[in-house]
Amino acid sequence: MKRNPVARNDVRRWVSVCIRACPRASVPSQTKFWMADPSPKDASESVEPSGTPSGVLRRTFQAFHYPNFRLMWFGAFTSTTGFFVQEVAQSWLVFDITRSEFYLGLTATLNGAPILLLSLFGGVAADRMDRRKLLLLSQFVQMSSALSLAVLVGLDLIQVWHIMAAAFVNGLGQAFGGPAYQALIPSLADKKDLPNAIALLSIQFTLARVVGAIIGGITFTSLGPTACFTINGLSFLAVIGALSIIHVTFVPKKSDAHVLQSLKEGLASVYRNRVILALVFLAPMAAFLGAPLVTLLPAFAHETYMLGPEGYSRMMAFWGTGAVIGALYVAFQGNAPHKGRRSLLMQIALGGTMIAFAASLNVWAACIVLLFSGWTILGVFALVNSLVQLHAKEELRGRIMSVYNTAFRGAMPLGNFSAGLLADKFSASATVMGNGVLLILVALVYLGRKHEVTRL
C-alpha cells in the first residue's frame, strides 16, 4: 500500500511544532541522566532550574530543588530546634540555681562573647580550610557541650558554672562555624537562586525558634531538663549527617600569609568595596534600631495594654508570623532586580510600623502592626544578606561574611542595651518611635544620594 506523502509531511510538521512548543526548562534533569556529565560541575549536583520558575509555590521554594540545599535546610532546622529546646531548660536551671536575673544575662553574654571576638578569625579559617570540615568540627564541639550538660544534670551534679562554661564553648563553636556556614550557602544553589535560598534559611530559624520553644516546654514539664539537653545533643546528628553527604566544590588556596595578614586583607576588601561597606552598615543599623521593638515588647504588653503572659505571647506570635511572611516574600521575589532599592523601601516601612506601634492604643491594632513589623525587618535582613553574598568574592567570602556577621550580631545586644537605658529614662514608646524615625532617615539618605545600593 502506498504511503500518502502529504499526510506524512503533516505528521512531521505537527511533531515539529509540538517539540518547539515544549519548554526545555520543564524537562526534569533526572530524565537526562544518560547524557549528563557524571561528575557534577557544581555543588548543587542535580537540578539546575533555568529561567523564572512558574507557579507561586515553585517560585517561593525554588532552592528546595537543589538536593544539597534540602539536606542542609532540614539539618539546620533540626539542630536549631534542638538549641531552643535546650534554651528552655537552660534558662530555667540558671534561674532556679541562682535566683538571679544577672546570671541569666551573664550566661547569654558568655555565649555571645566568642562570636563577637573571634568571628573575624573564623572567617579567615573559612577561607583557608575546607568549609565543610570546619563546620563539622563546630557541630561536634557544640554537641559534646550539650551532652556533657545532659550527663551532669542526669547525675544531679550540675552547677551554674557548668552551664556558663558550656555556653562559652557553644559560642566558640559558633564563632568558627558561623562564617563557614555563611560561606557554604552559595555552594548549595545556583547564584541566581541565592536570594531565595537565604530567605528560606531565614524561615528555618524563625520556625525552629517557635517549634523548639513548644517542644522544650512540653519536654521539660513531662521528662525533665536532662531530656532537653539530650535532645539538643542528638539534634546535631542531623547537621553532621547532611554535611557528610553534600559535595562542596570550594578548594581553599594555600597561603603562607600570617593569620593577621589574612584578616587585614579581608577587612581591606570590605573597606575598599563601597557596595559591601554600605551593606555591612545597613543590616546592623536595622538590627540596632529594629530589634529593641521585640526586646521592649513585655513592657508594652504589661504597661500599655495591661496584658499578662498569654497576651504577651500572642503579640510575639503576630510578630513571628510576620517574620515568616517577610522571608517568604523575599523567597518568592527570588532574583528579581532592584534588591537594594527594595531593601531601603522595606526599611522605611519598618520605621513606619515602629512609629505606628508606639502610637497604638488598641491592642489588636498593635498586633496587626507587629505582623507588618516582623515582615519588614526579616525582609531587610534577607535582602541585604543576599546582596552581600552576591557581591563577595569566593576566595574572600569567609572573611567578608565574618565581618558582616560580627557587625550584625554585635548590633543587636548593643541596640537592646541602649534602648533599655533610654526606655528607663524616658519611655518604651518614645524609644521605639525614635528608633523608627532614625531608620527612615537612614534609608532616605541612601535614596536621596542615589547611592550604589539603590542601583543593585
Side-chain angles (χ1 to χ4, degrees):
M1 182 177 67
K2 289 186 176 181
R3 296 179 179 178
N4 188 340
V6 176
R8 183 174 59 187
N9 290 336
D10 289 342
V11 171
R12 287 178 177 176
R13 191 178 301 110
W14 180 79
V15 171
S16 176
V17 170
C18 289
I19 292 174
R20 287 196 299 270
C22 295
R24 295 182 181 180
S26 65
V27 181
S29 62
Q30 288 89 340
T31 62
K32 299 186 287 184
F33 68 92
W34 46 270
M35 56 183 177
D37 186 352
S39 57
K41 294 182 180 180
D42 59 28
S44 54
E45 284 197 89
S46 82
V47 184
E48 295 185 11
S50 59
T52 303
S54 59
V56 174
L57 286 178
R58 179 179 176 83
R59 181 173 177 176
T60 303
F61 299 100
Q62 180 69 6
F64 279 122
H65 288 77
Y66 299 94
N68 283 345
F69 180 82
R70 287 200 302 270
L71 284 168
M72 280 302 298
W73 194 96
F74 285 106
F77 175 77
T78 303
S79 178
T80 307
T81 300
F83 170 80
F84 286 112
V85 170
Q86 173 173 309
E87 190 177 68
V88 172
Q90 180 172 293
S91 298
W92 182 270
L93 275 178
V94 169
F95 190 75
D96 188 51
I97 294 171
T98 65
R99 297 293 175 181
S100 170
E101 290 85 353
F102 170 76
Y103 281 99
L104 284 173
L106 181 60
T107 303
T109 301
L110 287 171
N111 178 251
I115 299 172
L116 296 179
L117 297 175
L118 300 175
S119 280
L120 293 176
F121 295 98
V124 174
D127 287 337
R128 288 187 167 204
M129 298 174 58
D130 185 322
R131 291 165 181 168
R132 187 177 63 88
K133 292 181 179 179
L134 180 60
L135 194 49
L136 274 170
L137 178 61
S138 165
Q139 303 308 301
F140 278 115
V141 168
Q142 295 176 72
M143 182 175 69
S144 301
S145 172
L147 293 177
S148 297
L149 287 177
V151 171
L152 289 169
V153 174
L155 296 175
D156 199 22
L157 298 174
I158 193 70
Q159 297 181 35
V160 69
W161 73 267
H162 294 143
I163 299 175
M164 291 191 292
F168 185 79
V169 171
N170 276 335
L172 286 175
Q174 293 169 20
F176 287 88
Y181 177 66
Q182 288 282 349
L184 194 66
I185 293 173
S187 302
L188 307 177
D190 283 350
K191 186 176 182 180
K192 63 184 177 61
D193 293 320
L194 188 56
N196 178 269
I198 291 172
L200 291 177
L201 288 171
S202 300
I203 295 171
Q204 171 267 127
F205 183 85
T206 305
L207 285 177
R209 186 171 193 170
V210 175
V211 174
I214 294 172
I215 295 176
I218 295 172
T219 304
F220 187 84
T221 303
S222 57
L223 300 175
T226 303
C228 293
F229 290 112
T230 303
I231 288 174
N232 184 36
L234 296 178
S235 71
F236 287 100
L237 293 175
V239 182
I240 292 170
L243 289 169
S244 300
I245 296 173
I246 66 172
H247 173 70
V248 180
T249 56
F250 172 75
V251 178
K253 294 180 179 179
K254 292 183 178 180
S255 176
D256 296 327
H258 191 272
V259 171
L260 292 178
Q261 181 63 32
S262 295
L263 177 58
K264 183 179 178 181
E265 182 183 1
L267 293 171
S269 69
V270 172
Y271 180 76
R272 287 195 301 265
N273 191 316
R274 288 194 62 192
V275 170
I276 292 181
L277 184 62
L279 294 171
V280 168
F281 171 78
L282 273 177
M285 181 60 66
F288 183 89
L289 296 171
L293 172 61
V294 178
T295 303
L296 297 175
L297 202 54
F300 282 97
H302 184 266
E303 296 176 3
T304 305
Y305 304 112
M306 307 301 175
L307 300 175
E310 290 185 3
Y312 164 65
S313 62
R314 184 168 59 245
M315 296 178 77
M316 277 297 300
F318 271 90
W319 188 90
T321 301
V324 172
I325 294 173
L328 284 172
Y329 167 76
V330 176
F332 175 76
Q333 291 292 316
N335 204 27
H338 310 303
K339 293 182 188 63
R341 180 175 291 274
R342 279 191 288 130
S343 69
L344 292 170
L345 292 176
M346 292 197 81
Q347 181 167 312
I348 292 174
L350 171 60
T353 61
M354 293 177 67
I355 294 171
F357 177 79
S360 296
L361 297 177
N362 180 276
V363 64
W364 289 109
C367 286
I368 298 301
V369 173
L370 280 174
L371 184 78
F372 286 98
S373 178
W375 180 333
T376 51
I377 195 169
L378 256 291
V380 173
F381 292 162
L383 283 169
V384 175
N385 192 321
S386 301
L387 288 169
V388 175
Q389 289 276 23
L390 289 169
H391 287 81
K393 294 181 179 180
E394 188 60 39
E395 65 275 11
L396 293 167
R397 188 179 301 279
R399 280 164 284 181
I400 290 174
M401 295 311 300
S402 71
V403 173
Y404 174 84
N405 282 339
T406 301
F408 182 72
R409 293 288 294 267
M412 286 190 181
L414 290 175
N416 290 333
F417 180 75
S418 301
L421 291 177
L422 291 171
D424 190 53
K425 186 175 182 180
F426 300 103
S427 70
S429 296
T431 301
V432 169
M433 191 174 291
N435 282 7
V437 171
L438 288 175
L439 279 170
I440 293 173
L441 289 176
V442 170
L444 287 177
V445 168
Y446 275 80
L447 289 169
R449 295 178 59 186
K450 297 182 179 179
H451 192 275
E452 285 90 338
V453 172
T454 63
R455 297 191 288 273
L456 298 179

